Amino acid sequence: MLLYYKEILFRPVPAKRLVQLLFSMLLLTIVLLNNKAQAEVGTPQRVISLAPHITELVYAVGAGDKLVAVSDYSDYPAEAQLLPRVNSFAALNIEAILALKPDLVLAWRSGNPPADLARLQQFGVRVEYSDPLLIDDIATELLQIGQWLGQAEQGALVATQIQQRLTLLRASYQQQAPVKVFYAMSTDPLSTVANQAWPAQLLQACGADNIFADAKNDYPQPQLEQLLLRQPEVIVRASKEGSTKQEQFWQRYPSLPAVRKQAFITLEPDWVYRATPRMIDATQQLCEALQQYREPM
């Protein structure tokens, strides 16, 4: 193993490839250490997920058969829809959770009620936390959940694939000609994204010029006059519904380049707002769609 590391570190390697190799080496080291620790404490067999993104990550590492219950809106993959629901965004059904006798509950630190989680722990239930905040955290989450569920190798494999896809997308699109984009969270009221909001991170990964990137909070509500002054070339939205209603709103403002060119992009919201491998799919979809509106450099 030492000779392998020395060969990689001292052989001339392109910088991009070196980063990928070092990331893979780190994952391998963590997997080997975790396999030993997991054997000592035992692998959970009755797992409850308290958030849709966690449910999806559990299936992604190949541990879906360990789930005995999930949260509301855990609708992907299709098998998850057959499992009992034990919580909403507002509250956990403590009695239902205890009745299922879980040996591990996977909680969303930013989304589940802290008081309810504390009660579970008072009853002796093991609770582990997921809290991805950045696109790059998806790989870390896959790695960690794989470790907890005895699927460390599969978790490391999927994490590596995800990180490599994200690295390639950034390398392919962030140096492209910029295109001015408005991300329309809603039109009534007018709202958009900035900073660490998931859609803002997707725009950044694609090298898009978010026209409200300078906002102080993640979900600003700009004035229409500000939008008209900043002249977006593309308008992006995420919706399961048809785009007719929102596009009718925009047709009232033909002075916007995006409206003149009918440059509208619609994304699948579950892909955009859940920190799972499908968020990388959304990033790729967005990057490819924006490409047709870029001016050659």
Side-chain angles (χ1 to χ4, degrees):
M1 180 65 75
L2 179 59
L3 291 175
Y4 173 71
Y5 281 177
K6 288 175 66 178
E7 181 182 354
I8 290 178
L9 292 174
F10 294 102
R11 183 178 61 199
V13 179
K16 179 180 174 182
R17 178 60 178 158
L18 180 59
V19 170
Q20 293 175 338
L21 288 170
L22 291 173
F23 184 74
S24 298
M25 288 160 51
L26 175 62
L27 290 180
L28 176 61
T29 302
I30 294 173
V31 167
L32 292 174
L33 292 173
N34 180 262
N35 283 345
K36 179 180 178 182
Q38 197 69 52
E40 294 174 356
V41 302
T43 302
Q45 299 300 318
R46 298 183 60 79
V47 180
I48 292 178
S49 163
L50 299 181
H53 81 273
I54 298 175
T55 302
E56 195 168 331
L57 293 174
V58 170
Y59 278 99
V61 303
D65 59 332
K66 298 180 187 295
L67 287 170
V68 295
V70 293
S71 70
D72 284 354
Y73 302 105
S74 286
D75 54 8
Y76 187 88
E79 302 95 289
Q81 300 178 33
L82 304 176
L83 293 168
R85 266 55 179 159
V86 292
N87 72 294
S88 65
F89 181 79
L92 311 186
N93 186 333
I94 302 292
E95 293 74 16
I97 292 173
L98 294 176
L100 288 166
K101 302 185 185 307
D103 45 22
L104 176 62
V105 169
L106 296 175
W108 181 18
R109 190 180 296 278
S110 299
N112 296 140
D116 287 353
L117 295 172
R119 282 189 63 199
L120 281 182
Q121 292 174 308
Q122 289 170 2
F123 282 110
V125 177
R126 177 188 172 193
V127 177
E128 299 288 358
Y129 291 92
S130 168
D131 200 27
L133 301 175
L134 304 173
I135 299 182
D136 295 272
D137 292 341
I138 298 172
T140 306
E141 293 283 318
L142 287 162
L143 187 64
Q144 182 63 81
I145 289 174
Q147 292 169 2
W148 287 331
L149 301 183
Q151 294 287 109
E153 292 184 11
Q154 179 66 15
L157 175 63
V158 180
T160 301
Q161 292 170 344
I162 288 299
Q163 197 62 38
Q164 288 177 345
R165 284 185 64 195
L166 183 56
T167 299
L168 181 59
L169 285 169
R170 285 169 169 158
S172 300
Y173 292 101
Q174 286 188 335
Q175 303 306 315
Q176 298 280 343
V179 56
K180 295 170 66 176
V181 176
F182 175 71
Y183 187 92
M185 281 284 293
S186 68
T187 54
D188 186 20
L190 193 64
S191 62
T192 187
V193 297
N195 303 305
Q196 300 305 319
W198 290 120
Q201 293 187 50
L202 269 61
L203 291 171
Q204 194 274 336
C206 294
D209 179 8
N210 179 359
I211 63 170
F212 287 103
D214 58 346
K216 292 183 179 180
N217 60 65
D218 288 359
Y219 298 99
Q221 294 186 356
Q223 297 298 313
L224 179 60
E225 292 75 13
Q226 293 176 290
L227 173 65
L228 295 174
L229 283 172
R230 299 191 185 198
Q231 293 284 286
E233 299 167 284
V234 182
I235 294 173
V236 180
R237 64 193 292 266
S239 176
K240 290 181 179 292
E241 304 169 355
S243 57
T244 304
K245 183 177 179 181
Q246 197 174 108
E247 287 188 11
Q248 286 176 347
F249 169 86
W250 293 114
Q251 301 315 313
R252 291 181 280 174
Y253 305 102
S255 65
L256 296 176
V259 176
R260 289 200 302 271
K261 295 184 295 182
Q262 294 297 291
F264 298 100
I265 298 172
T266 301
L267 304 175
E268 165 60 48
D270 288 347
W271 294 16
V272 173
Y273 293 104
R274 292 185 188 177
T276 73
R278 292 194 297 167
M279 185 174 281
I280 310 304
D281 296 335
T283 307
Q284 181 171 342
Q285 180 187 10
L286 176 61
C287 291
E288 292 174 353
L290 285 172
Q291 195 65 8
Q292 63 183 308
Y293 300 115
R294 295 183 190 273
E295 295 291 337
M297 293 184 69

